[in-house]
Amino acid sequence: LVAFVTFLCFAASRAPGAYTALAGMEVVITALFFLLYLLKLDKKMSWLFWPLADIFNSVIAALFLLVVCLCAVIIKSNNGTLAGGVFGLVLLVLSVVDAVVLFQKISLGGPRGRN
């Protein structure tokens, strides 16, 4: 939801394309991971360790969000861009928390069952 709000703020303020594209991409990737786990497709496609892919997504998204949202907050061309940058920084914190929690839950040496 925070990624979607960030996307809406950037899109409504007619921010530069990189801001809107990053927020939109994060909305789509998060929705795809949500559907993957909701439909239990991660069990059917066991050739990839999906929690680790989710961690990589969170870390890479956090890095991109750090750069783009700091630029949006510092430049603050209008109020929508500033709001999008602030929501993006909140999304950055949530992405880091997601990566840390997932990393603590997985065991790379153990079985791939769910807790």
Side-chain angles (χ1 to χ4, degrees), residues 27-101:
V27 169
V28 169
I29 291 173
T30 303
L32 290 176
F33 271 109
F34 182 72
L35 284 175
L36 176 89
Y37 292 129
L38 183 70
L39 299 175
K40 298 190 187 317
L41 294 175
D42 57 328
K43 289 183 180 180
K44 293 179 183 175
M45 296 187 289
S46 61
W47 47 269
L48 183 63
F49 191 44
W50 289 102
L52 192 60
D54 199 1
I55 289 172
F56 284 139
N57 171 52
S58 295
V59 170
I60 291 171
L63 291 173
F64 282 127
L65 284 167
L66 177 68
V67 172
V68 169
C69 292
L70 279 180
C71 288
V73 169
I74 291 170
I75 295 171
K76 59 184 165 197
S77 58
N78 58 33
N79 289 337
T81 305
L82 180 63
V86 171
F87 280 115
L89 291 174
V90 171
L91 182 60
L92 163 78
V93 171
L94 291 175
S95 293
V96 170
V97 168
D98 178 47
V100 169
V101 168

